Structure formats: structure tokens, C-alpha cells
Amino acid sequence: MTQSQHFLPEHRDVSRRFFLNLLAGTAAFASLPSWLRGNDLPRECAEACEAFLKKIEYLTPQEVFGNVSRGDPRPYDLSDEKKLEVGLVPETWKLEVVSDPDNPADIENPLTKEAGTAIDWPALMKLAETKTVSVAKIMTCNNIGRPLGMGFWEGVPLRELVWMTRPKANLRRVYYHGYHNDDPKQLFQSSLPVGRILEDPFGLPPVLLCYKLNGQYLNGQRGGPVRMLIPEAYGFKSVKWLTRITLSNTPFANDTYAKGNNDVDSGMKTFSQVLLKPDEIKAGMPIPVTGFSQVGISGLAKVQTLVLPKDQTWPADDPYFTTADWIDAHILPAPETWGGGLPDDKLPPNLHGFDAETGKPITWPMRLTMAHWATVLPALTAGEYTLRSRTIDEKGHAQPMPRPFAKSGRNAIEGVELVVG
Ligand SMILES: Nc1nc2c(c(=O)[nH]1)N[C@H]1C(S)=C(S)[C@@H](COP(=O)(O)O)O[C@H]1N2
Ligand SMILES: [Mo]
């Protein structure tokens, strides 16, 4: 599957309900824009909507996730025997938490293999009995236009391990890396300021030492047995096959991703993309369209669409189409079922931002997750058009502002072709 296809099944499911409601003339119908209200949708449009009536899932099964993994060989492709030997299975996995020899942090109790104090799987599971937290997060590579997948990630807050080392002073930065075939050239590392690990700013979930995705233990591709999970960050911070954490008194990032011109301090951005449009569009017929938005750190207030004739030129000094007549789309409500392989569709324990009583998200759209949207575009005359969608974040910034640079996460306004016959 290509990057663009792999969450279509999930999306179909969520958008299906929108169109069902729309066709049934229920509350969703009443909230449609005035040009649609009071008009029964033409039969052909209803038929186009039927095309969306497929299986519904919100979460991405972990086998279907987009995969970004370095290594030669990839650690998950090693033989079972080798995995056992190097600690890539729960039976032999160990995590060391040590002081940086070059810029030491003052810690009383380093967790090392040598001293027999490294964290192993039973120790992690013991911690999990009382400390488990789950985080709803969309995983996205800052260099790839489409998200890799939407998940509920389960783990233990990383600060629990930091405190186990009994730090006293001189601790400013936390470095970490994963198994890399013991080859320095294959090292993949990342880092965080210690403050982000010890305390969660402005309602963010904690940084996790993560071992489950959508209620199932992480597979090798997803970084199992244990990976890092940084809720608000792009994927490169969430290091897989985690083996070592280094507590340092340096104030600087050491991320592998700093090479390649990447912005390593960028929070996830809000942006929108079109996913489904009818295969065939007839002149004079309204056009049902669906899509999704990544809800970044600045939230999501609106999704809008714009249709322009393909050959229409646009002023070069307005590259983001800010002066165009964008039309609001409908942000779909939180799904009723989650899918993605979640056993019995039961929410993982302590899911941040969800009401434990009702099992529903407290706010929607929810930051750091995916929101689906749908709309019906006004009828067009025959010809070729470009359809664009954009988000407006909670601060009122229209995509790709306020951070339009690609190396801090892709969020360009995409154009898709509409051919009206
Ligand atoms: N050890 C290790 N961790 C890693 C990577 C890697 O190559 N090696 N890739 C990173 C990058 S760049 C991304 S975008 C995410 C992707 O996570 P996923 O493969 O689970 O979707 O994993 C991150 N963690
Ligand atoms: Mo990435």
C-alpha cells in the first residue's frame, strides 16, 4: 500500500456515517450550508455517497502503519535467534539509563546491565501495574506528506525511569537511542530537554516509554518491544527498539534528524488533505468530498475547501490563496467505534483526554490526533478544476501559516484535480 492509501478503510468508515446522516435528513443535514439545506440530494449524488459506504475504522492497525525504519538489516528482520541474543524480544530486552561520561549528570543510581540494575521487561510490567498512561497520537514523519497512522499508544511515563536513577543536579538534556546492529554508522538517536519529561506543559500527555499500540504489544516494525513516544513531536523523536537513555548536562539536541536539514524542535502542525472524491463527476451535480486533518499543537477550528478552474492564474503574491472564497466543510464528530485492531474496541487504560466514565474524548477535534471531514461542493459546469482544502487553527491561522517551512513538517496546501464531464 502507498502512503496515501493506508488509512482509506478507516476514513471510509468515519465518513460513511456523515453521508448516511446527510441522506437521512437528520441533524447533520440540518447543519449543512444553506445552498444544500431544503434540497434533497440528487440521486446521482446519493449514488456517489454509496461509494463511501465501506468498513468503518478510525485507528490504523499496526501492520498497516506507514513504516520509517533505518538499519541494514532492519532490526525486525533479524532471525529469532539473533533477536533473542540482542534483546529485541521481551524475554531479553533491557534498557540502560546512565549518566553522560562527557557531560555528567549527577545521578546516584544509574540503571546498567553491568550492575544488574537495567530495566527489564518484568520491571517495566511491574511499573505498568500502577503507572500506565495511554496517548491518542497521529504518527507523522516531518518529511512525508501523509501521516503514517493514527494510534492509541500505551506505556509508562518516562519520568518514572528518570527518577529511579535518583538525579541530584546537572541534568539538562536526555539523549536516547535504539538497537542499531552495534554499528555506530547506523545509530538513530534523539533527545529532549529534561523539563519536558519531568512535567507536561499545557495539558500535553506525558512522554512515554511505550510498549503497546491499539491494545496490542508493539510489533518489530513499530519499534517493539519498547519505543519512545513523544506526543506532540514528529516521528523521529519517537525512537524505536529503545536500548539506552543518557542523562546529560549538555543543553543541546543531538538528534540524528538534525542532519538532513530537519527542524528538530518542531511541534506537529495542523493541516488538511482530500481523501475521497467521486471517480466520475457530472456537470450540474453537487460533489461529495471527504478528507482528514492532522490536528497539530495549535488545534483545529475549521476545514475549508476551494475549487478553482485548473487554468485560472492566481496572483504570485498570494501563494496561500488567502484572498479566495473558501467554503467551510464539516468536521466529523468523534467516531463511535475505534477499530485499528483494538481488542473489543475497548479503550486502553488511562487514555489522556478521554472521559473515563463515558469513554468519549473530552474535546473534539482533539489535538495531536486525526479528524475527518466531509462536504458537498456546489455543482460545476463541465471542465477541469483544482480542489484544495486547508485548515484554520484555533489561533485563526490559515494553513500553511504560522509555520510554512517544509523541514519543520509538511503542511503545504495540496491541490487535487477534478474533471467534470
Ligand atoms: N531506532 C529507530 N527509531 C526510529 C526510526 C529509525 O529509523 N530507527 N525512524 C524514526 C522516524 S524518522 C519516524 S517518522 C518514526 C516512524 O514510526 P513508525 O515506523 O512506527 O510509523 O519512527 C522513528 N523512530
Ligand atoms: Mo521520519
Side-chain angles (χ1 to χ4, degrees), residues 141-167:
C141 179
N142 64 314
N143 285 319
I144 300 177
R146 293 266 192 226
L148 301 164
M150 175 64 219
F152 291 159
W153 308 83
E154 183 177 332
V156 167
L158 178 58
R159 55 177 158 264
E160 300 297 336
L161 271 76
V162 173
W163 285 123
M164 282 170 78
T165 68
R166 295 202 296 272

Side-chain angles (χ1 to χ4, degrees), residues 131-383:
K131 305 290 186 188
T132 305
V133 175
S134 301
V135 172
K137 173 190 170 54
I138 186 167
M139 183 64 74
T140 301
C141 179
N142 64 314
N143 285 319
I144 300 177
R146 293 266 192 226
L148 301 164
M150 175 64 219
F152 291 159
W153 308 83
E154 183 177 332
V156 167
L158 178 58
R159 55 177 158 264
E160 300 297 336
L161 271 76
V162 173
W163 285 123
M164 282 170 78
T165 68
R166 295 202 296 272
K168 296 296 167 205
N170 300 332
L171 173 49
R172 291 191 281 176
R173 194 90 192 171
V174 176
Y175 295 151
Y176 46 91
H177 66 249
Y179 180 73
H180 52 287
N181 297 314
D182 297 322
D183 174 1
K185 287 204 284 300
Q186 298 185 34
L187 187 66
F188 191 88
Q189 60 188 4
S190 186
S191 70
L192 287 170
V194 71
R196 172 61 188 99
I197 294 164
L198 300 182
E199 188 177 21
D200 306 321
F202 308 113
L204 282 179
V207 171
L208 292 187
L209 203 61
C210 169
Y211 47 82
K212 275 188 181 179
L213 170 59
N214 301 339
Q216 298 177 17
Y217 288 105
L218 290 179
N219 66 20
Q221 278 91 340
R222 295 289 68 70
V226 179
R227 78 183 295 171
M228 209 61 103
L229 198 277
I230 320 304
E232 71 278 22
Y234 280 98
F236 64 87
K237 290 266 181 202
S238 295
V239 165
K240 306 197 273 195
W241 320 299
L242 193 68
T243 54
R244 181 184 280 251
I245 297 174
T246 302
L247 306 180
S248 177
N249 197 30
T250 45
F252 310 113
N254 73 340
D255 298 44
T256 300
Y257 246 45
K259 296 172 197 142
N261 197 26
N262 296 296
D263 176 346
V264 295
D265 292 315
S266 173
M268 300 238 292
K269 297 179 181 180
T270 298
F271 67 86
S272 169
Q273 290 176 348
V274 170
L275 267 184
L276 296 175
K277 59 188 172 82
D279 295 333
E280 211 185 315
I281 304 169
K282 295 212 178 76
M285 302 300 304
I287 306 159
V289 171
T290 71
F292 74 92
S293 298
Q294 170 170 300
V295 187
I297 56 171
S298 53
L300 174 66
K302 276 182 185 183
V303 175
Q304 300 180 317
T305 60
L306 172 67
V307 178
L308 293 173
K310 194 179 167 189
D311 58 11
Q312 182 172 334
T313 53
W314 198 259
D317 64 356
D318 184 25
Y320 308 144
F321 302 90
T322 59
T323 57
D325 289 325
W326 294 83
I327 299 174
D328 292 355
H330 296 264
I331 297 171
L332 303 186
E336 282 141 31
T337 58
W338 303 98
L342 199 63
D344 301 323
D345 214 57
K346 193 169 161 281
L347 294 184
N350 261 328
L351 183 56
H352 187 95
F354 281 64
D355 183 318
E357 302 270 298
T358 63
K360 302 280 179 211
I362 296 162
T363 58
W364 196 266
M366 192 178 159
R367 283 179 194 196
L368 316 179
T369 73
M370 178 184 282
H372 297 262
W373 55 266
T375 192
V376 181
L377 305 171
L380 297 166
T381 54

Side-chain angles (χ1 to χ4, degrees), residues 93-111:
W93 174 78
K94 279 199 169 67
L95 172 66
E96 296 189 297
V97 189
V98 299
S99 179
D100 178 358
D102 299 326
N103 294 279
D106 184 2
I107 63 173
E108 282 181 356
N109 183 40
L111 310 177

